[in-house]
Amino acid sequence: MKNVYLDNNATTRVAPEVRDAMLPYFNEQYGNPSSLYDIGYSAKDAVKKAREQVAALLGCEPDEVFFTSCGTESDNAAIIGSLWANPHKRHVITTTVEHHAIGYVAESLEKKGFPVTFVEVDQDGKLDLDTLKKSITDQTAIVSVMWANNETGVIFPIEEIGQYCRDRGVLFHTDAVQAAGKIKFNLKDSPIDLLSISGHKLNAPKGIGILYKKKGISWEPLMKGGQQEQSQRPGTENVPYIVGMGVAAELALSTFAEEYKQISSLRDYLESEIEKRIPDARITGKNSPRLPNTCHICFKGAKDDAMIHLLNTYGVAASSGSACNTESDDVSHVLRAMKIPEEYIRGSLRLSLGRYNTREDIDTVLDILPKVVERTRKAKARRAEAIAQDKDK
Ligand code: PLP
């Protein structure tokens, strides 16, 4: 049985180039970048190089790049740091489909009495831009809108929203965790003030993130401590992971055009074949701009957790949406926000491709998936029938 990994929006395999670059910084070049001797200097140089590599991917200055522990930390810091730095403004605007790293921050702020506006999306996952724009007031401290959705891959018009915020003097943050490496960035001339990235979504290890912060904006660091990262994110640098992040950024940049073509053509093939082979399949966000690697589909009358388990028995790793939701039995907040019809919403499947997927992987899944959907549809229908019969007794 061939194992097929199609959950690259959850996490990606560490690229061998990334791992090889990291290794010397564990046992050989293990110095503290703040130390004044050779292995300290070499660690410092490595961090500097990684910062330049990330800046090249983002199209910004190296001193606008701050290393953090993950995408979640960057997201939290962007919002809370903006509120701390601008205490006279308390209003936050975000969307109903953000990752929990933003959504739960916004909800907790709301509980603490901060006014928060959650802008809605339509059935295609498109954002209600009119409402977003009308919601901005002179009390708005920050607008945070994700660049691309982790579940559906739907892309939001970030430059347009950012420009609108800029014209009104409001800080603008975007969670670009899923967009990094899949969409070209040029932050130098963009209206984006703050942006978050996570290493493990682009073939670096888990546990390394980036916060981009435009020079001169009003923002306060959450952590206090040493002078690392210009005192904006104190704490001894995680040198091996920072090195890995830098190499991953360089790889993403150098392979961008080629990978975009390869991954998007595999994804398009996968979707068109699913539509041909499986009846009542509905591609989520089909009428919206989407990431090249993400295929999110709802199968009428199917059962998402049963599909994932069955696919797993065939060696296929997939998910129904966010990896952070899998412990709960709730339907995804993203699909709820998109008002996906009830008969489809529980049959959702996300297949997200990455740099190592091949045409053979896709053909393997295409062979298995019709059986999997059919079996879970039948099992669900039988269960519904048994429950109905029980009620009649
Ligand atoms: N934001 C988005 C859109 C994500 O998809 C994720 C991870 O799934 C995160 C933030 C959190 O990133 P991390 O896992 O590095 O904390």
Side-chain angles (χ1 to χ4, degrees):
M1 189 171 71
K2 184 181 186 304
N3 285 323
V4 177
Y5 184 74
L6 283 180
D7 202 15
N8 287 276
N9 285 12
T11 198
T12 58
R13 185 195 306 176
V14 174
E17 299 90 327
V18 169
R19 181 201 53 218
D20 292 350
M22 290 172 65
L23 287 177
Y25 294 92
F26 288 102
N27 298 111
E28 295 152 33
Q29 307 294 335
Y30 51 82
N32 185 323
S34 302
S35 298
L36 304 178
Y37 41 76
D38 283 354
I39 58 167
Y41 297 145
S42 69
K44 189 176 179 177
D45 287 347
V47 171
K48 180 170 180 277
K49 180 170 173 202
R51 201 183 307 286
E52 287 163 1
Q53 288 165 316
V54 173
L57 177 70
L58 300 184
C60 69
E61 296 298 324
D63 60 359
E64 294 175 316
V65 171
F66 299 89
F67 291 108
T68 65
S69 65
C70 59
T72 301
E73 181 191 330
S74 302
D75 279 346
N76 276 252
I79 306 263
I80 298 168
S82 299
L83 289 169
W84 280 9
N86 301 283
H88 53 291
K89 293 182 175 187
R90 289 171 58 85
H91 180 216
V92 175
I93 299 178
T94 187
T95 81
T96 52
V97 294
E98 297 296 309
H99 187 273
H100 293 322
I102 290 290
Y104 284 174
V105 177
E107 284 176 22
S108 94
L109 286 166
E110 201 173 32
K111 284 192 193 119
K112 289 181 169 54
F114 288 82
V116 180
T117 304
F118 292 92
V119 181
E120 296 190 356
V121 297
D122 66 13
Q123 284 216 350
D124 289 322
K126 290 198 178 91
L127 199 58
D128 179 354
L129 284 182
D130 272 356
T131 300
L132 189 151
K133 290 175 179 174
K134 282 186 194 134
S135 305
I136 296 178
T137 71
D138 56 5
Q139 279 304 302
T140 308
I142 181 157
V143 174
S144 178
V145 175
M146 69 198 322
W147 202 316
N149 188 272
N150 45 303
E151 295 188 33
T152 63
V154 170
I155 296 170
F156 287 148
I158 288 308
E159 296 283 335
E160 181 187 342
I161 301 168
Q163 194 54 52
Y164 198 83
C165 294
R166 158 102 8 128
D167 294 344
R168 274 141 201 88
V170 174
L171 285 175
F172 178 61
H173 165 254
T174 184
D175 173 340
V177 166
Q178 294 292 345
K182 300 171 196 150
I183 292 176
K184 266 255 155 88
F185 295 139
N186 184 6
L187 297 182
K188 192 170 187 298
D189 302 315
S190 88
I192 295 165
D193 296 307
L194 295 145
L195 173 143
S196 310
I197 290 188
S198 171
H200 74 103
K201 311 289 183 179
L202 73 163
N203 305 102
K206 297 153 193 66
I208 180 78
I210 301 289
L211 178 64
Y212 157 82
K213 181 169 78 72
K214 201 179 262 310
K215 230 175 269 175
I217 67 157
S218 176
W219 178 86
E220 194 180 317
L222 305 199
M223 286 161 67
K224 314 290 174 208
Q227 289 175 0
Q228 298 90 352
E229 302 296 292
Q230 305 172 58
S231 302
Q232 303 296 289
R233 204 289 189 176
T236 303
E237 298 89 337
N238 185 353
V239 180
Y241 282 59
I242 289 173
V243 168
M245 181 77 230
V247 174
E250 191 173 275
L251 260 179
L253 187 60
S254 65
T255 57
F256 182 84
E258 188 192 320
E259 275 195 5
Y260 189 101
K261 220 168 108 197
Q262 185 204 330
I263 291 176
S264 62
S265 78
L266 286 178
R267 193 276 309 267
D268 293 349
Y269 167 64
L270 173 67
E271 286 189 347
S272 69
E273 286 301 312
I274 290 177
E275 283 186 310
K276 273 188 224 157
R277 298 182 196 194
I278 307 177
D280 294 323
R282 183 187 154 123
I283 296 174
T284 316
K286 194 177 179 186
N287 301 319
S288 298
R290 282 184 299 146
L291 292 174
N293 79 318
T294 307
C295 164
H296 187 284
I297 305 207
C298 293
F299 299 102
K300 188 176 175 183
K303 185 102 178 55
D304 42 22
D305 51 353
M307 283 192 291
I308 308 301
H309 291 309
L310 254 182
L311 282 170
N312 185 38
T313 62
Y314 285 105
V316 176
S319 81
S320 61
S322 169
C324 312
N325 274 338
T326 48
E327 294 299 311
S328 74
D329 199 30
D330 292 345
V331 166
S332 136
H333 69 288
V334 175
L335 301 186
R336 277 269 178 255
M338 290 174 74
K339 301 185 183 66
I340 302 290
E342 206 52 43
E343 66 270 31
Y344 281 87
I345 207 165
R346 293 192 186 268
S348 84
L349 182 69
R350 181 185 70 184
L351 302 167
S352 49
L353 286 69
R355 106 161 9 131
Y356 301 113
N357 286 123
T358 60
R359 167 78 183 236
E360 202 193 338
D361 290 345
I362 304 303
D363 283 327
T364 304
V365 172
L366 285 170
D367 276 349
I368 296 162
L369 194 56
K371 291 179 261 184
V372 166
V373 174
E374 192 50 26
R375 272 179 64 183
T376 66
R377 276 177 170 162
K378 281 190 177 147
K380 193 172 165 185
R382 274 199 304 274
R383 195 159 172 265
E385 209 174 301
I387 292 171
Q389 279 172 3
D390 255 8
K391 275 195 191 141
D392 288 346
K393 277 181 194 161

